Amino acid sequence: MNITNLNIAVVGAGYAGAAAAKALSNLGAQVTVYEQASQIREVGAGIGLRPSSMHQFNTRGSGEAIKAVSSPSDAFEILTADGRRIAREEWPEKDTFSETTRFIHRGDFIEALVGVLPQGMVKLGHKLEKIEDGGSTATLHFAGGRTATADLVVGADGIKSVVREQLFSDRQPVFAGEHAYRAVIDAEGTYDMVADGNLRMYIGHGTKVYLLPLLHRGQVSFDITALNPDSTWAPTVTKDDILRTVEGFDQRLVEMTRALDMDTLNSRAVYDIDPIDVWHSDSVVLIGDAAHAMCHHQGQGANSAVLDAGALADALATADSVRAALASFQAIRKPITDELQRISRNGWTDDEVSDVFPGQKPGQIAAMASTSTTTAPTKED
């Protein structure tokens, strides 16, 4: 299908939206990205971009921009809380794609993705309030009375997707029963624990500690994920609260926790969504977290968004119609992301879960939370 005359509106300028905009504009489509924020920025810490994602960037013109602000990694290690190695593996797909995983700060990632888009493609300050699906077209209604009609709307508006809630599923995000505490710290304060550039995860006592090197920045992304029954979206915690989560861990990790600057710490309750049955109509499609937000244990959220973007572009380039392309896209991507959502929810042992949620088993926390009235607030909160 020739999509050079196709008018495409992308809702959201995050990983999924920016990657999709690049892939679709490469095909000649007329793409506009609508972002609710008044400026492009991303808080948080580091993420890993897998070889398959880097392959997507290389083939669609973003690879050099990503590599300029990221660090390569050869392998990852899983260790016990006190530092005994459980496993060491090279990154999967290295040979397939002739690439390795690269680590990047979330802010740098967004800037690189948006930076390769044509000037003027991203429209800031457009908060979506309503979407009307007209069959062959769809109309977006933004705060302030502005509207836009497109042949195809790509809903890339995250875990609290307006597009998903109004057209495909009104089920709310599900609390995963855990908190994530994230900070970017100077590499000098990490005792050379990741000087080789490789990811390490320490696990035990209901806590996972991730050390993700950002060596091109002279920094390390420090992530503590701990079981916790508090479902507040942005929980208030003290240094002592966080120190309790790393009791019994390698003393170097304890000291790194003790040295954290609480003013720069990002604290979040962890949420995902239940798999939804349908991602598309004839003129609207969901991608990224809007379609399949997942817990971060497998490190697949951003990577899945990138692969969604590429798969959507490929489907539109090869199908006979938009309708057929969207059906093909869902058929290819949904089985994969359904499985990633499932395994990402099951990140804890029986004993770890029962310490915090008496009587529960791994995989039951989300099910328990989904029957409550707890939901995640809007993106601005």
Side-chain angles (χ1 to χ4, degrees):
M1 178 176 64
N2 185 345
I3 71 168
T4 55
N5 294 321
L6 200 66
N7 178 20
I8 301 177
V10 178
V11 183
Y15 313 142
K22 179 61 174 175
L24 295 169
S25 62
N26 283 353
L27 297 176
Q30 307 302 306
V31 181
T32 305
V33 182
Y34 297 97
E35 166 59 40
Q36 72 172 2
S38 58
Q39 60 179 337
I40 300 293
R41 66 183 182 90
E42 179 72 16
V43 298
I47 55 176
L49 299 174
R50 302 294 176 90
S52 53
S53 295
M54 291 306 305
H55 175 71
Q56 289 281 336
F57 293 132
N58 290 339
T59 58
R60 301 184 193 277
S62 306
E64 292 306 311
I66 298 296
K67 289 178 180 179
V69 289
S70 63
S71 301
S73 170
D74 295 323
F76 64 95
E77 292 188 6
I78 302 174
L79 305 99
T80 62
D82 58 2
R84 290 176 288 117
R85 182 188 290 173
I86 298 171
R88 183 185 188 279
E89 295 183 34
E90 290 195 355
W91 292 104
E93 303 178 320
K94 285 178 62 177
D95 295 335
T96 302
F97 296 107
S98 301
E99 274 287 357
T100 190
T101 289
R102 299 188 71 92
F103 297 136
I104 190 168
H105 188 279
R106 292 169 187 267
D108 294 341
F109 185 32
I110 292 294
E111 287 183 3
L113 287 176
V114 173
V116 297
L117 298 179
Q119 188 172 4
M121 180 177 286
V122 179
K123 308 296 184 184
L124 301 177
H126 282 69
K127 181 180 180 180
L128 182 64
E129 294 187 333
K130 181 181 177 181
I131 179 169
E132 294 180 318
D133 189 342
S136 60
T137 63
T139 300
L140 303 170
H141 297 261
F142 302 102
R146 291 169 293 185
T147 64
T149 298
D151 302 313
L152 172 62
V153 169
V154 179
D157 48 341
I159 190 171
K160 286 289 292 182
S161 169
V162 174
V163 178
R164 181 186 71 240
E165 184 170 344
Q166 291 190 4
L167 296 184
F168 300 106
S169 173
D170 61 0
R171 287 179 291 180
Q172 296 298 300
V174 178
F175 176 50
E178 57 195 6
H179 286 179
Y181 310 121
R182 295 171 174 145
V184 174
I185 61 179
D186 289 339
E188 292 180 355
T190 60
Y191 305 94
D192 291 329
M193 293 177 76
V194 287
D196 59 1
N198 294 327
L199 172 70
R200 286 174 175 80
M201 179 181 76
Y202 297 77
I203 182 169
H205 316 298
T207 296
K208 294 181 174 73
V209 177
Y210 303 84
L211 294 179
L212 184 148
L214 301 168
L215 299 186
H216 60 289
R217 278 173 156 245
Q219 295 176 322
V220 172
S221 180
F222 186 41
D223 181 309
I224 299 171
T225 300
L227 289 165
N228 194 299
D230 177 13
S231 61
T232 306
W233 184 254
T236 299
V237 294
T238 67
K239 179 72 69 67
D240 287 341
D241 292 332
I242 301 178
L243 281 168
R244 278 191 287 273
T245 69
V246 295
E247 288 178 0
F249 275 71
D250 185 310
Q251 189 59 35
R252 293 172 296 178
L253 298 174
V254 175
E255 292 305 318
M256 289 158 59
T257 305
R258 198 184 310 277
L260 285 173
D261 181 352
M262 296 298 290
D263 290 336
T264 63
L265 186 79
N266 181 265
S267 299
R268 285 289 183 268
V270 178
Y271 281 81
D272 67 358
I273 64 172
D274 292 322
I276 59 175
D277 296 332
V278 178
W279 290 0
H280 71 90
S281 65
D282 290 351
S283 59
V284 182
V285 66
L286 301 173
I287 66 172
D289 282 356
H292 47 65
M294 59 190 72
C295 299
H296 61 278
H297 302 301
Q298 301 298 316
Q300 288 286 2
N303 290 282
S304 294
V306 171
L307 297 183
D308 283 354
L312 178 60
D314 290 342
L316 285 165
T318 57
D320 294 331
S321 65
V322 172
R323 180 179 185 179
L326 300 187
S328 174
F329 164 70
Q330 176 175 312
I332 292 169
R333 292 295 298 153
K334 182 170 163 54
I336 298 169
T337 59
D338 281 356
E339 178 65 5
L340 287 173
Q341 285 181 292
R342 185 191 67 80
I343 63 176
S344 295
R345 278 187 172 180
N346 297 321
W348 305 100
T349 67
D350 288 8
D351 289 341
E352 288 172 323
V353 171
S354 64
D355 284 345
V356 179
F357 300 93
Q360 301 299 320
K361 298 290 185 181
Q364 292 180 320
I365 303 173
M368 175 182 64
S370 67
T371 62
S372 72
T373 58
T374 300
T375 61
T378 59
K379 182 183 280 188
E380 303 95 308
D381 293 336

